[in-house]
Amino acid sequence: MRAADKMLQPEASQLLQLLSERRSGGIFVPAMCGKRSKCYYSRLEVILIICLVLMITVTVVLLVLHFLITSHRNKSSSSSTTVAPSSSSGKATANYLLGVGRADCTGPVAEIPLMGYANPEQVGGGLLTRLYSRAFIVADLDDSRRVVFVSADIGMVSQRVRLEVLEKLKSKYGELYRQDNVILSGTHTHSGPGGYFQYTLFWITSKGLIRPSLNAIVNGIVKSIDIAHQNMTRGRLFINRGTVENSQMNRSPFSYLENPASERSRYSSNTDKEMVMLKMIDEDGQELGLISWFAVHPVSMNNTNRLVNSDNVGYASYLFEQEKNKGMLPGEGSFVAAFASSNLGDVSPNTKGPFCINTGESCNNPQSTCPVGGATMCMAMGPGNDMFDSTRIIGQNIYLKARELYEEASQEITGPLSSAHQWVNMSDVSVELNATHTMTRPHPWHPDIVDVQIVAIGSLAILAVPGEFTTMSGRRLREAVKREFDSHGTSQMDVVIAGLCNVYTHYIATYEEYQAQRYEAASTIYGPHTLSAYIQLYRGLARAIATNTVQDLPSGPEPPVFNISNLTLVPSLIADRAPANKTFGDVLQEVRQQYRVTEVAEVTFVGANPRNSAENATEHNFLTVERYTNASESWQVVQNDASWDTRFYWTKGLLGQSNVTVEWHIPRGTEPGIYRIRYFGHYRQKLSLSPAVSIAFEGTSSAFEIVAL
């Protein structure tokens, strides 16, 4: 030990000892005042020394806490993009121009085969909820590039729909909206009108080409884009993702098990449970809308249903839009919420699994057959007591997860826009195909020329796929495209699959699933290597975007537009007739005088064919539920035919006669008071040699009272 250290030791120990002693009301502390001498500090000096020690201690503690907090923040920021700071004006920094729009695309709700279950006998007989097209436009701030994503409440987008939409957009906007930057996606509801295809295979089950159906979809999609175009504003995008539980199951688990065990072991489930959500706000923080992608079949409403509706994903849209558009009727308000399809090919919402409807026993076997009645008796069932209840449960599950992701979304999307598109003749792709796809006389059975397309919004890549990819097919496609982006220096891309886009080419199963030849594989019309062909094509699109060589992509052969008219087996409209001593809109069966909440108010009117209204009025409303307001002495509309709680049934009679029954399933929370139900329609009248005309009419129930439970 050094001499200086030895000299300081006694002084230090003496200091510590004497600090605790009191002398004459004070503390004496020997100071370094020279050998054998003692110096005494005053009370003030001692207090200052103690304060200094405390200040040093507090400073050290604060420095340690600061280090820990900073370290934690750095770790958190490495896993997500932080929210961009506000500008000096107080507004958040906008990255894009954004526009959202929603328009009706319901079409005729009676006598038209419903599209999805391929059952010509399942024809529309009324309305549960309206169908909507929801459009979202994203443009660079300088408006040099823009992309459009549309999710429509229809079974799928047909090639004829896409071609007619693009033609109408071109006539309105020139080259602003094109085949390369417009994605049209169907939600895949199985409860919408059919008849909007130009290929033979679809005519068989939908009774031909039905112009009112086609026109309603095309006009609705174009109108939704028009609204979004008119409402463009500066804004921001945020992405989030999460797991949706208790809302899906793999309907072909035996096919899924054909995939390699090493591949299956990488995943915790035989379905994709992840929801990807894109949130849109303007630069002032005002909410614009959202797009959610989640893999589930909208078949909670089964093939016994006759009411046009948007099924479970449509109900999720309904709930979200009703929440955000406070005080507005369904279909009204500026906030737009789309729940779009993804790789749903083998994913069912009927979580109770398949049962024989005649015996109640399970038919969860490789052939999905029942001991009595075979496969036709095997039907999957949802979590609810009936198909309406199941639709509500699954839709609410999806909505609740989307709302959670929406509220917590903080990862901002920034970066340039790009899009890549090709038309591809699948019969020319150098991958082995099933030869049966060339049955093409006298009219092609299904499309050979299909659209492949990717739209990139900053770090988000949307793969617009022309059919129903199974779970594992979707996983392979996403991974292949992501690897392609990574290999060309565009890493950290969020890759999402948007299903049933632009043209419908049935299913896309993996090569291994194809061998099982269950429904998904048997409907993979281009053969066992269809998935390989699509992966090859989408990798090419991703490579072009990543290397900025989209302009070098060959556009490919344009699909044909067939010169076809109303080639249909749907019965022609005839003159409507009312019963003797009655007129259209008269009440045949009245409501009760009083109902309790949760009961069903029901009234039956002298009706007319709803097709008259679909062909003579745009976005016609068939019914309203109205409440009497004492303050204004007037009736206020509280529900319409787009509301989940109303049901519109049309029953066809003989010789042009028909009835309409309106049900209102009075929901919890309904305010007690006086109500009435109204019905609006058009009847067709034919006088001598004059052309037939449609005449508007209405009917009104008696007033009734609603009392609390």
Side-chain angles (χ1 to χ4, degrees):
M1 184 177 290
R2 294 181 304 166
D5 294 333
K6 290 181 180 179
M7 290 176 60
L8 289 173
Q9 266 191 330
E11 299 290 343
S13 60
Q14 191 176 26
L15 174 63
L16 292 174
Q17 177 184 355
L18 296 179
L19 276 173
S20 62
E21 297 181 6
R22 295 177 180 272
R23 295 289 169 88
S24 303
I27 300 176
F28 73 93
V29 180
M32 301 294 289
C33 300
K35 190 175 181 180
R36 298 179 182 270
S37 65
K38 292 185 178 179
C39 293
Y40 295 91
Y41 291 130
S42 68
R43 182 191 300 270
L44 177 60
E45 289 174 324
V46 173
I47 291 174
L48 291 174
I49 291 172
I50 294 174
C51 289
L52 178 62
V53 173
L54 290 175
M55 288 174 63
I56 294 173
T57 304
V58 170
T59 301
V60 171
V61 171
L62 290 176
L63 287 172
V64 171
L65 289 175
H66 175 73
F67 173 81
L68 293 175
I69 292 172
T70 303
S71 176
H72 176 72
R73 284 178 176 171
N74 289 338
K75 289 180 180 178
S76 299
S77 63
S78 66
S79 61
S80 64
T81 304
T82 57
V83 177
S86 299
S87 64
S88 58
S89 64
K91 291 186 176 182
T93 303
N95 295 306
Y96 301 104
L97 296 174
L98 304 177
V100 301
R102 178 186 54 249
D104 187 282
C105 64
T106 304
V109 302
E111 297 190 301
I112 307 300
L114 301 185
M115 186 65 214
Y117 290 111
N119 178 8
E121 303 306 313
Q122 188 193 12
V123 298
L127 181 66
L128 174 59
T129 59
R130 289 206 157 263
L131 310 180
Y132 292 101
S133 171
R134 295 175 172 90
F136 304 83
I137 302 176
V138 182
D140 290 326
L141 286 177
D142 61 2
D143 205 14
S144 58
R145 293 183 180 181
R146 60 174 58 194
V147 296
V148 183
F149 182 84
V150 174
S151 177
D153 292 329
I154 58 177
M156 60 284 290
V157 175
S158 75
Q159 191 172 78
R160 188 57 178 252
V161 164
R162 177 161 170 83
L163 293 174
E164 292 199 10
V165 166
L166 291 174
E167 184 62 31
K168 285 182 177 289
L169 292 175
K170 184 175 182 178
S171 67
K172 284 189 172 189
Y173 303 105
E175 295 301 315
L176 187 60
Y177 300 116
R178 312 168 303 274
Q179 70 270 11
D180 65 295
N181 67 354
V182 174
I183 295 177
L184 306 182
S185 175
T187 63
H188 203 37
T189 175
H190 284 41
S191 297
Y196 52 92
F197 294 82
Q198 66 173 8
Y199 288 94
T200 306
L201 185 63
F202 305 101
W203 291 353
I204 295 173
T205 56
S206 59
K207 300 183 179 179
L209 178 72
I210 304 169
R211 257 295 160 187
S213 289
L214 177 60
N215 290 345
I217 295 170
V218 170
N219 293 337
I221 290 173
V222 172
K223 184 175 181 180
S224 68
I225 295 173
D226 287 341
I227 295 171
H229 177 89
Q230 295 160 10
N231 293 331
M232 297 288 283
T233 183
R234 293 167 62 92
R236 308 164 74 194
L237 298 175
F238 296 87
I239 192 171
N240 203 358
R241 58 186 57 77
T243 301
V244 183
E245 298 290 353
N246 305 316
S247 299
Q248 51 169 210
M249 63 174 290
N250 194 305
R251 71 183 187 188
S252 288
F254 300 98
S255 293
Y256 183 86
L257 289 173
E258 294 294 318
N259 294 305
S262 58
E263 183 179 32
R264 289 186 280 110
S265 66
R266 296 168 50 204
Y267 305 100
S268 60
S269 172
N270 59 5
T271 61
D272 280 341
K273 295 180 179 293
E274 185 178 70
M275 172 185 286
V276 179
M277 191 280 311
L278 185 66
K279 175 180 180 178
M280 300 182 174
I281 62 173
D282 71 12
E283 62 182 348
D284 296 320
Q286 295 296 313
E287 299 173 301
L288 301 177
L290 70 91
I291 310 172
S292 162
W293 290 275
F294 177 62
V296 66
H297 250 81
V299 292
S300 292
M301 301 294 291
N302 61 42
N303 62 11
T304 66
N305 169 57
R306 297 291 185 270
L307 299 182
V308 169
N309 69 88
S310 52
D311 214 281
N312 45 45
V313 292
Y315 183 59
S317 290
Y318 170 84
L319 290 176
F320 218 120
E321 291 179 349
Q322 285 294 97
E323 175 191 342
K324 295 298 182 181
N325 297 316
K326 295 291 186 185
M328 308 293 283
L329 290 171
E332 299 177 353
S334 61
F335 188 92
V336 180
F339 285 76
S341 60
S342 190
N343 54 317
L344 48 68
D346 53 0
V347 186
S348 170
N350 297 312
T351 54
K352 289 182 180 178
F355 292 87
C356 300
I357 58 176
N358 52 351
T359 65
E361 58 190 309
S362 173
C363 49
N364 187 21
N365 54 64
Q367 290 74 39
S368 297
T369 58
C370 295
V372 179
T376 58
M377 292 291 107
C378 185
M379 180 180 291
M381 301 179 185
N385 299 321
D386 56 31
M387 59 182 172
F388 296 94
D389 195 32
S390 294
T391 300
R392 179 189 60 79
I393 292 171
I394 298 299
Q396 187 168 17
N397 287 351
I398 297 171
Y399 151 73
L400 288 174
K401 175 54 67 172
R403 186 176 69 174
E404 173 190 322
L405 297 177
Y406 183 89
E407 297 299 330
E408 297 176 354
S410 61
Q411 180 182 344
E412 186 161 15
I413 290 182
T414 61
L417 303 178
S418 55
S419 57
H421 169 276
Q422 284 183 301
W423 280 304
V424 178
N425 188 334
M426 291 299 286
S427 65
D428 287 340
V429 177
S430 57
V431 176
E432 181 182 351
L433 299 175
N434 188 328
T436 60
H437 82 282
T438 59
M439 182 181 177
T440 59
R441 297 290 182 269
H443 185 81
W445 280 73
H446 57 73
D448 279 335
I449 298 174
V450 305
D451 295 69
V452 292
Q453 183 181 19
I454 296 179
V455 160
I457 305 172
S459 60
L460 173 64
I462 303 173
L463 314 187
V465 300
E468 303 179 56
F469 277 62
T470 63
T471 298
M472 195 63 84
S473 293
R475 288 168 174 169
R476 292 182 187 178
L477 177 63
R478 279 197 304 262
E479 289 184 352
V481 168
K482 185 170 176 55
R483 283 196 304 269
E484 194 68 36
F485 276 119
D486 290 344
S487 66
H488 293 281
T490 310
S491 59
Q492 305 302 315
M493 291 292 286
D494 287 296
V495 179
V496 64
I497 290 177
L500 301 118
C501 291
N502 302 333
V503 59
Y504 185 60
T505 62
H506 305 271
Y507 283 75
I508 299 91
T510 68
Y511 176 85
E512 295 83 359
E513 291 165 350
Y514 190 89
Q515 312 310 312
Q517 278 299 294
R518 281 177 60 88
Y519 180 76
E520 296 81 10
S523 299
T524 300
I525 60 175
Y526 300 126
H529 299 287
T530 300
L531 175 60
S532 297
Y534 279 126
I535 288 176
Q536 174 180 305
L537 292 166
Y538 281 92
R539 286 183 60 194
L541 297 180
R543 186 182 313 117
I545 290 175
T547 58
N548 197 27
T549 57
V550 171
Q551 68 277 1
D552 298 331
L553 284 172
S555 60
E558 293 193 22
V561 179
F562 297 112
N563 184 20
I564 49 179
S565 58
N566 286 13
L567 180 64
T568 177
L569 298 177
V570 173
S572 300
L573 285 168
I574 61 173
D576 294 282
R577 289 184 171 85
N581 303 319
K582 296 286 184 181
T583 189
F584 296 101
D586 282 354
V587 174
L588 296 175
Q589 180 179 326
E590 266 289 9
V591 293
R592 302 202 314 257
Q593 291 184 345
Q594 188 181 84
Y595 295 91
R596 292 185 179 275
V597 171
T598 72
E599 291 186 323
V600 180
E602 179 179 329
V603 57
T604 301
F605 300 93
V606 175
N609 195 322
R611 286 171 58 194
N612 299 324
S613 299
E615 295 186 7
N616 288 277
T618 302
E619 302 178 28
H620 175 76
N621 187 43
F622 287 108
L623 66 92
T624 57
V625 177
E626 301 174 357
R627 183 177 187 273
Y628 187 74
T629 305
N630 290 321
S632 61
E633 297 183 339
S634 62
W635 293 91
Q636 177 187 4
V637 177
V638 295
Q639 303 249 291
N640 59 16
D641 66 5
S643 302
W644 171 256
D645 304 303
T646 60
R647 299 177 191 175
F648 175 84
Y649 294 92
W650 178 71
T651 304
K652 186 177 183 178
L654 298 175
L655 303 175
Q657 293 189 16
S658 61
N659 295 342
V660 160
T661 297
V662 176
E663 292 180 357
W664 180 30
H665 294 244
I666 306 167
R668 294 183 184 276
T670 300
E671 186 177 355
I674 304 301
Y675 291 80
R676 69 182 185 184
I677 296 173
R678 301 182 73 195
Y679 159 48
F680 306 90
H682 293 80
Y683 68 88
R684 187 177 180 87
Q685 187 178 65
K686 184 76 168 66
L687 298 175
S688 63
L689 299 178
S690 302
V693 294
S694 291
I695 302 173
F697 69 90
E698 61 185 64
T700 306
S701 76
S702 298
F704 55 92
E705 182 184 18
I706 291 182
V707 297
L709 280 171

